[in-house]
Amino acid sequence: MSDVAVAREDLESRLEEYRTELTGYCYRMLGSAFEAEDAVQDTMVRAWRSLDRFEGRSSLRSWLYRIATNVCLDALNAGNKRARPMDLTEATPVAQARLQERDEVTWLEPAPDGRVLPATADPAERAVARESVRLAFMAALQHLPPRQRAVLILREVLAWKASEVAELLSTSVASVNSALQRARASLAESAPADTDLADPLDEVQRRLLERYVAAFEGYDMTALTALLHEDATLSMPPYDLWLRGHDDITGWMLGVGEVCRGSKLVPVVANGTPAFAHYHPDPAGGFVPWALMVIEIVDGKVSGITSFLDVKRWFPLFDLPERLEA
């Protein structure tokens, strides 16, 4: 067998080692788990096709990140920018709340931790990784120009040296440092809200979520109000409506949201935070998918609820059952 054939076999076996971390990188860049997986697959194909040009001057990991970065920059330069409802409008009082889809908006998407966060034994690395896929942080990244976004992720999240990033982007260390400074300043202007991470849940978080499930499944709005911050938010992509304040949230749930009475919640983890698969009562019996509900917690109370309603996309991504029996 030739050296090239051996190298190709070796590469094929080693590429998979980097799939999860590359997916996480592309997800932070693109804001979509599906686009991230497509970008990584494109990266793998390009790596395979250009193996004869990989001369080993850099590590395989650095080479793959260079290819993945170019794939993501091409996508972002084509105008791909994602948003949350609160990026587009002011909060709507519950008395005026109406569900309205925006077909022209590309929404920020959730991701299962297992697909974007590689396993690591270092608690500090795990904390940084989870912090960097929070919905609020992901939304803040969308405001950065593509190259600034890449520099910030590589330097601040993945802890690359400025010289390594400069080599990857074919630029100078001074340019990298300048881009990082501008990216930090932009994030400081619209600092993403804090969120307590699930790594793993502590006792206070576990009790809070148990009470949340009991209140939601029992449709006890008094109990639910006690678990929400006074300025908690509720959003429901692909609708642009979002509500602020526990009174408006429970008012919505006792109005239009009344259809959710009798639902069941199944715990999952998304974007480094607790989440639930929300199953709706089926008139024919049992329960059917309704929403992927991502929960943000701050200081022992729920600060944000994002219910992603396109369940045909999200439930298979999270390996969730198509229905629950009664």
Side-chain angles (χ1 to χ4, degrees):
M1 185 178 294
S2 69
D3 290 342
V4 171
V6 171
R8 285 187 175 277
E9 280 192 5
D10 180 55
L11 176 63
E12 187 173 9
S13 65
R14 292 175 61 196
L15 286 179
E16 287 303 315
E17 299 175 14
Y18 298 99
R19 183 173 292 275
T20 301
E21 67 171 281
L22 284 172
T23 303
Y25 173 61
C26 293
Y27 174 63
R28 295 178 184 97
M29 288 288 290
L30 301 174
S32 162
F34 295 102
E35 288 188 4
E37 291 186 349
D38 288 345
V40 172
Q41 191 58 36
D42 191 1
T43 297
M44 298 300 189
V45 170
R46 293 190 191 189
W48 179 258
R49 289 175 176 170
S50 59
L51 175 62
D52 56 337
R53 295 197 297 275
F54 175 56
E55 300 174 354
R57 288 194 297 267
S58 61
S59 69
L60 176 60
R61 182 172 182 258
S62 298
W63 186 53
L64 289 172
Y65 269 90
R66 176 192 289 270
I67 299 171
T69 300
N70 288 332
V71 170
C72 290
L73 291 178
D74 286 346
L76 292 170
N77 289 333
N80 183 358
K81 183 177 180 181
R82 294 182 173 271
R84 302 177 79 184
M86 46 279 291
D87 298 323
L88 305 175
T89 65
E90 295 297 322
T92 304
V94 68
Q96 303 170 18
R98 300 289 184 274
L99 291 176
Q100 176 179 308
E101 289 194 50
R102 284 200 182 190
D103 295 333
E104 77 279 10
V105 173
T106 307
W107 299 105
L108 181 65
E109 297 180 351
D113 281 16
R115 291 189 181 232
V116 297
L117 298 177
T120 175
D122 188 324
E125 288 183 9
R126 288 202 308 271
V128 170
R130 280 175 165 75
E131 170 72 20
S132 66
V133 294
R134 293 186 305 113
L135 289 176
F137 185 81
M138 291 287 298
L141 286 177
Q142 300 301 303
H143 296 288
L144 299 179
R147 288 177 70 86
Q148 283 187 30
R149 196 182 308 182
V151 168
L152 183 83
I153 296 167
L154 290 165
R155 293 282 285 120
E156 302 278 85
V157 177
L158 301 178
W160 285 41
K161 297 177 182 177
S163 58
E164 295 172 327
V165 178
E167 182 179 357
L168 182 147
L169 294 174
S170 300
T171 188
S172 66
V173 170
S175 294
V176 168
N177 289 335
S178 176
L180 179 60
Q181 186 176 13
R182 293 196 302 273
R184 285 171 173 169
S186 296
L187 286 187
E189 290 178 2
S190 56
D194 292 333
T195 308
D196 296 341
L197 303 176
D199 184 31
L201 292 171
D202 60 30
E203 185 61 29
V204 172
Q205 291 172 325
R206 282 195 295 270
R207 289 200 304 268
L208 171 66
L209 292 173
E210 288 170 0
R211 292 166 62 199
Y212 180 87
V213 171
F216 193 92
E217 292 186 346
Y219 230 67
D220 184 341
M221 293 301 107
T222 300
L224 186 63
T225 297
L227 305 177
L228 300 176
H229 277 285
E230 187 174 350
D231 60 350
T233 61
L234 169 66
S235 60
M236 294 161 281
Y239 300 109
D240 63 3
L241 170 72
W242 68 283
L243 305 166
R244 184 191 296 279
H246 52 48
D247 289 340
D248 276 3
I249 292 173
T250 54
W252 170 266
M253 294 180 68
L254 290 172
V256 176
E258 181 75 21
V259 294
C260 292
R261 186 182 291 273
S263 294
K264 295 293 182 184
L265 301 182
V266 175
V268 293
V269 179
N271 294 83
T273 60
F276 294 100
H278 175 185
Y279 287 86
H280 195 266
D282 185 349
F287 301 86
V288 293
W290 187 258
L292 178 75
M293 182 187 292
V294 180
I295 305 295
E296 295 164 278
I297 299 172
V298 175
D299 298 332
K301 284 193 171 184
V302 174
S303 60
I305 304 167
T306 305
S307 286
F308 293 94
L309 299 177
D310 190 356
V311 293
K312 290 183 179 179
R313 286 169 66 81
W314 310 131
F315 275 48
L317 181 68
F318 282 77
D319 297 321
L320 290 162
E322 293 181 0
R323 63 178 293 110
L324 299 179
E325 299 306 322

